[in-house]
Amino acid sequence: MKIRNPHMVRAAGWLAVRCVKTVYQTLRVETKVLGDTIHPVAVIPSDRRYAYVVWHENLALACVAIGHPNVAVLISRHADAQILGSLISAIGMGMVHGSTNHDGKSRGGVEAVRQIVNGTAGRQHLGITPDGPRGPRRVVQPGVVYVASRTGMELIPVGIGYDRPWRVKSWDRFAIPRPFTQAKIILGSPMRVPPGLRSAGLDEYRLILQAEMDRLSGFAEAWAETGRLDPAATTLPEPSIPFPAKPVPAFVYGRNAA
């Protein structure tokens, strides 16, 4: 059932904030940071701007576990997203309205990029769901790469895993961690995207980001289920797809793409 009444949306948001915070306090949460990534709660040099990339189904835990007032979240104007917006606001984070389901050509996408370029509504960094707001589930959309290409933000893929979570019957199978279980978070190495990419270039980097999101999500989920982190998760093997054929002025997975 979709909630459209604004009063019901606010009430659902109020309830969601309290439920998420209550459940989070019972979880055994561990975070692993790879490469030269800096955790959102750390003091980050002002000349570096990150976009933390999280699957839509895991946004609630990400906001509570690694959220920070210096981060704004790219969120749609749909009612269900506004419920998550209540949680984002409760943590003191900002919001930028837009979507990753476009390549920057839509009116909302252009306005979102403008806000990000101007400082993400007063914040230095961005939280973004690459498969939001309508899916398909766990499929990176070109908008996230477009944002990085136009703003110069470094993409930080984030893998999140739970031990036998409950799942909502929604397009993203939104995850609800079971109380008193393990939740694991892996922050991947920064990924720089060349400026001014067009359609072919956007898709090339979209596939690279897709491969790393899949890799880190798999490691985080196995870590949560078994309690052991595979050593391979802390290394940087060759990606499952090739680097771009042409040299680009950027570093991908911490290695010179040229």
Side-chain angles (χ1 to χ4, degrees), residues 232-257:
T234 62
T235 63
L236 284 129
E238 291 292 332
S240 58
I241 61 173
F243 287 115
K246 297 180 180 180
V248 294
F251 282 77
V252 181
Y253 299 151
R255 299 175 57 182
N256 195 330

Side-chain angles (χ1 to χ4, degrees), residues 140-161:
V140 173
Q141 300 298 315
V144 62
V145 180
Y146 177 86
V147 166
S149 180
R150 295 307 186 273
T151 64
M153 283 185 162
E154 297 175 75
L155 297 175
I156 306 296
V158 181
I160 296 179

Side-chain angles (χ1 to χ4, degrees), residues 21-223:
K21 288 188 173 182
T22 298
V23 171
Y24 175 76
Q25 290 174 352
T26 73
L27 297 176
R28 299 192 296 278
V29 181
E30 291 184 79
T31 302
K32 179 71 177 179
V33 180
L34 305 184
D36 63 346
T37 294
I38 301 177
H39 196 287
V41 302
V43 177
I44 303 176
S46 59
D47 62 340
R48 298 192 73 173
R49 300 183 70 198
Y50 288 153
Y52 296 90
V53 185
V54 181
W55 292 134
H56 194 275
E57 67 198 71
N58 297 324
L59 183 57
L61 177 68
C63 286
V64 177
I66 61 176
H68 189 271
N70 205 21
V71 179
V73 179
L74 184 66
I75 190 170
S76 76
R77 296 185 184 275
H78 295 292
D80 53 353
Q82 297 309 303
I83 294 174
L84 283 171
S86 298
L87 175 61
I88 293 167
S89 298
I91 297 170
M93 302 167 71
M95 284 183 282
V96 176
H97 291 287
S99 169
T100 60
N101 275 338
H102 56 75
D103 58 5
K105 297 178 181 178
S106 71
R107 181 177 178 182
V110 172
E111 177 58 29
V113 171
R114 184 179 295 114
Q115 291 184 54
I116 296 166
V117 170
N118 292 335
T120 59
R123 271 73 175 183
Q124 182 180 356
H125 310 291
L126 183 70
I128 190 166
T129 55
D131 56 344
R134 294 296 184 186
R137 176 179 183 255
R138 295 198 180 190
V139 175
V140 173
Q141 300 298 315
V144 62
V145 180
Y146 177 86
V147 166
S149 180
R150 295 307 186 273
T151 64
M153 283 185 162
E154 297 175 75
L155 297 175
I156 306 296
V158 181
I160 296 179
Y162 312 101
D163 181 16
R164 298 169 292 111
W166 292 308
R167 296 280 181 179
V168 176
K169 292 182 178 180
S170 56
W171 69 265
D172 62 349
R173 297 184 63 209
F174 195 86
I176 302 176
R178 295 175 184 267
F180 306 102
T181 60
Q182 298 189 88
K184 310 299 184 185
I185 302 172
I186 302 178
L187 300 176
S189 297
M191 172 181 168
R192 293 182 185 175
V193 176
L197 286 182
R198 300 296 180 181
S199 296
L202 291 175
D203 194 57
E204 201 163 29
Y205 278 84
R206 182 190 70 80
L207 292 174
I208 293 173
L209 178 60
Q210 178 77 56
E212 188 66 349
M213 287 294 293
D214 290 342
R215 186 179 81 95
L216 295 182
S217 296
F219 280 123
E221 288 167 350
W223 184 15

